[in-house]
Amino acid sequence: MLLPIAGLVGVALCGLLVLTLATVRVGVVAVAIGVVASTLPVTLVVAAFLWIDRWEPEPAKLLLLTFAWGAFVATLTALLINDTAEAVGDLLLGTGSGGKVSALVSAPLVEEAVKAVPVFAILLRRSQEFDGLVDGIVYAGISAAGFAFTENIYYFGRAFAEYGFGDGASAGVLAAFLLRGVLSPFAHPLFTVLTGIGVGLVVRAGRRSLKVLVPLGAYLCAVFLHALWNAAATLGGAATFLDVYFLIMVPIFIAVLLLVLWQRRREQRIIAAALPQLAANGWIARSEVPLLASLRGRRRWRGQARKESGRHAARAVAAYQASVTELAFQRRWSTEEGGTSGRHDDLVDVVMQARAEAVRLAAR
């Protein structure tokens, strides 16, 4: 009981320290403007990852904690280490060189490591919540979205403190927002999602070497992509940055998007294929099969429950739908692994209890 409380207190303290450091550097007004300017892009990014996660939504508490880690703990850790790297670089290579060392070496290595911590922590401590590729993408993306949110607060605040609002074409908040909020709101999430994909690919792998080498390789890819992005922004001019943006970053973003769409479609096929057998076993009603086989059917079912029986009934239906999804996935894995497990039997009980609760609330 004390460990979760201590963890939450630690995250809160990191948040206060980050906010204090930003305020000391750029001022209260600049930080407030940074918060306002950062809200829109982070809302868009988080909404995108929640959309990805619609088939089997992750626990809200875990998602919130993951976001808080990225926004507070990861940013504070990266800030301290990157500032140290910059100071050492200036000392060893001459004044002005430390910033390049920080941007090209320290920031990619450190930031991609600390942003990915929730992915590995959830995999190790809450493995029942980690079902595969989509979960790796979602947890990595949410953590990186929190990191980008706090980082944007500082960058937007500094732009205001130094140049004011600007006009979009010159330095200022509007120009910074155009670059970070419009052109590249998914930059940090894209880098870290590569690590999440690597973890998701081997979450059910039997070979220990794969569980180490594939995530490590994915992390190094994230580091390289991050370093390339920083190099284009730091060392190259506008033409170099645009070349990297359109020729490298945009194609990779499209490839990840296509992977997500393919994986969502694959999840639907797995669930639809499992539903008839679940109904034959008496774990779900046969009339529920078409309602559970599509996101539209599930949404309409929840809407009808909310309209006829209230919010609690709709939440119970949502919990039942999520439990059916978990059971469908577990049956797929059990088939691939050659037998059922205690986890499968536990999920059957969860499904039965969730359905009974949804029926009870609907009948009130």
Side-chain angles (χ1 to χ4, degrees):
M1 183 66 181
L2 292 178
L3 185 59
I5 294 176
L8 291 175
V9 171
V11 171
L13 289 176
C14 288
L16 289 174
L17 285 173
V18 169
L19 182 61
T20 300
L21 289 173
T23 303
V24 168
R25 291 187 176 189
V26 300
V28 176
V29 175
V31 167
I33 290 174
V35 169
V36 173
S38 301
T39 300
L40 179 59
V42 77
T43 300
L44 172 66
V45 172
V46 170
F49 284 107
L50 294 180
W51 174 82
I52 293 171
D53 196 36
R54 286 177 66 194
W55 268 113
E56 195 245 329
E58 301 307 307
K61 292 181 181 179
L62 281 182
L63 291 177
L64 183 60
L65 184 59
T66 298
F67 183 88
W69 173 276
F72 304 136
V73 182
T75 50
L76 181 62
T77 303
L79 177 66
L80 296 177
I81 296 178
N82 289 341
D83 281 358
T84 301
E86 183 174 352
V88 172
D90 283 340
L91 181 64
L92 297 179
L93 303 176
T95 303
S97 300
K100 297 177 182 178
V101 172
S102 176
L104 302 181
V105 181
S106 172
L109 286 170
V110 173
E111 292 176 11
E112 293 312 315
V114 293
K115 286 187 294 180
V117 165
V119 182
F120 293 99
I122 293 169
L123 177 63
L124 295 174
R125 304 291 298 179
R126 297 286 295 273
S127 58
Q128 71 275 15
E129 300 295 348
F130 211 109
D131 296 316
L133 194 62
V134 168
D135 289 354
I137 291 172
V138 169
Y139 284 119
I142 292 293
S143 175
F147 187 95
F149 174 65
T150 302
E151 187 179 67
N152 282 342
I153 290 174
Y154 173 69
Y155 277 112
F156 293 154
R158 189 177 68 177
F160 175 79
E162 295 178 355
Y163 305 104
F165 285 105
D167 58 7
S170 59
V173 175
L174 293 178
F177 183 83
L178 179 64
L179 176 62
R180 302 182 66 88
V182 177
L183 290 178
S184 58
F186 286 93
H188 269 294
L190 178 61
F191 307 147
T192 314
V193 157
L194 296 181
T195 304
I197 290 173
V199 175
L201 285 174
V202 297
V203 66
R204 298 290 166 183
R207 293 174 57 185
R208 180 170 297 181
S209 59
L210 287 178
K211 289 187 175 183
V212 174
L213 294 177
V214 173
L216 177 60
Y219 162 74
L220 293 177
C221 288
V223 169
F224 173 77
L225 197 64
H226 193 156
L228 180 63
W229 176 264
N230 286 357
T234 303
L235 304 179
T240 301
F241 177 81
L242 291 176
D243 285 343
V244 170
Y245 180 83
F246 285 108
L247 298 179
I248 298 177
M249 298 299 171
V250 171
I252 292 177
F253 175 81
I254 293 173
V256 171
L257 178 60
L258 292 175
L259 175 64
V260 167
L261 294 175
W262 172 79
Q263 185 65 19
R264 273 170 54 94
R265 180 58 180 164
R266 178 174 177 271
E267 288 185 341
Q268 182 180 15
R269 290 196 299 267
I270 291 173
I271 295 166
L275 291 175
Q277 188 59 49
L278 299 187
N281 292 341
W283 299 331
I284 67 175
R286 293 186 183 277
S287 60
E288 296 169 353
V289 170
L291 297 175
L292 290 165
S294 70
L295 289 173
R296 178 179 297 180
R298 293 184 174 208
R299 184 171 59 251
R300 290 173 58 188
W301 187 2
R302 293 193 301 270
Q304 183 179 359
R306 182 180 297 106
K307 180 179 179 180
E308 296 180 354
S309 305
R311 289 181 301 169
H312 294 295
R315 290 174 182 171
V317 169
Y320 171 54
Q321 293 172 345
S323 66
V324 170
T325 298
E326 286 198 48
L327 179 57
F329 287 157
Q330 183 63 45
R331 288 180 66 81
R332 173 62 177 264
W333 298 326
S334 297
T335 300
E336 293 176 350
E337 294 169 1
T340 59
S341 63
R343 170 71 172 160
H344 175 275
D345 297 336
D346 291 341
L347 284 174
V348 171
D349 293 337
V350 171
V351 168
M352 300 293 286
Q353 293 171 10
R355 187 176 189 280
E357 179 66 8
V359 171
R360 183 185 71 82
L361 291 176
R364 293 176 58 182

